[in-house]
Amino acid sequence: MEEEQAVSGKIAMWKKHEQQHKDKQLINPFSEWDGASTRAKLSKDDENYAKPVEGSMTAQRGKAAGERISNEIQELIEIIKVMGKKGDDGLYRINFGLLFNIYLKISNKMVGIMMRARKQGLIDFEGEMLWQRRDDHVMITLLKES
């Protein structure tokens, strides 16, 4: 009697696992199963377009990455405030060469973080991209402290 219950419990567990796998395969656009990818396609106007499924590992990793980037942007802002010079207009400025040399000891992603901060309207600088040595003279201006 006990053996039958143990076996039936394992069978139920595997049936549940099988159903979960089948459900995932049916919405997988790369699945070769019949009836796969029957989920309605999102339009570009949909608020969920190009976003991971809520609660998924991808969504969790994206949220964690966003928090790390926000922290790095805050660190960049603090460095500009501490090491830069405040102008007559009240804005802090530092040249790229000095900032690069200071930041090099902290992170190897400084230019990427600067691009993200500029996209958020926190800093500004001349040019599309900054390169070490060639753009050492370019001034970085702190526009907002987030």
Side-chain angles (χ1 to χ4, degrees):
M1 186 80 166
E2 245 179 70
E3 279 185 35
E4 288 179 24
Q5 287 178 344
V7 170
S8 65
K10 288 183 180 182
I11 291 172
M13 179 187 73
W14 280 107
K15 289 281 186 192
K16 182 180 174 186
H17 181 71
E18 175 188 19
Q19 187 61 45
Q20 288 173 339
H21 178 70
K22 183 178 179 182
D23 292 343
K24 284 183 181 179
Q25 289 302 310
L26 288 175
I27 61 170
N28 180 349
F30 304 106
S31 175
E32 295 178 2
W33 285 27
D34 287 336
S37 193
T38 56
R39 179 167 50 175
K41 298 203 184 305
L42 296 174
S43 77
K44 290 185 179 182
D45 299 327
D46 191 320
E47 65 182 35
N48 292 319
Y49 185 78
K51 291 184 181 175
V53 175
E54 193 64 39
S56 68
M57 290 297 294
T58 302
Q60 292 172 7
R61 285 189 296 267
K63 184 177 179 184
E67 289 171 3
R68 279 192 308 276
I69 290 169
S70 292
N71 290 338
E72 289 193 36
I73 289 173
Q74 288 304 314
E75 190 173 9
L76 174 69
I77 288 170
E78 286 303 312
I79 291 170
I80 293 172
K81 283 173 54 180
V82 170
M83 301 305 289
K85 293 185 178 159
K86 194 171 190 176
D88 294 338
D89 56 3
L91 300 176
Y92 289 93
R93 290 182 177 78
I94 189 170
N95 71 32
F96 177 67
L98 177 59
L99 182 61
F100 190 89
N101 288 330
I102 294 167
Y103 211 85
L104 188 61
K105 295 171 180 65
I106 300 167
S107 173
N108 61 351
K109 305 176 285 251
M110 185 195 76
V111 174
I113 297 299
M114 287 176 57
M115 300 296 281
R116 185 73 176 255
R118 179 164 77 171
K119 190 173 186 177
Q120 294 177 12
L122 301 173
I123 66 170
D124 192 30
F125 53 88
E126 193 177 307
E128 186 76 21
M129 177 67 108
L130 297 174
W131 303 96
Q132 185 183 15
R133 288 188 278 292
R134 184 189 83 179
D135 295 318
D136 283 355
H137 65 283
V138 174
M139 294 304 289
I140 312 299
T141 304
L142 179 60
L143 301 174
K144 294 186 213 171
E145 296 181 30
S146 80

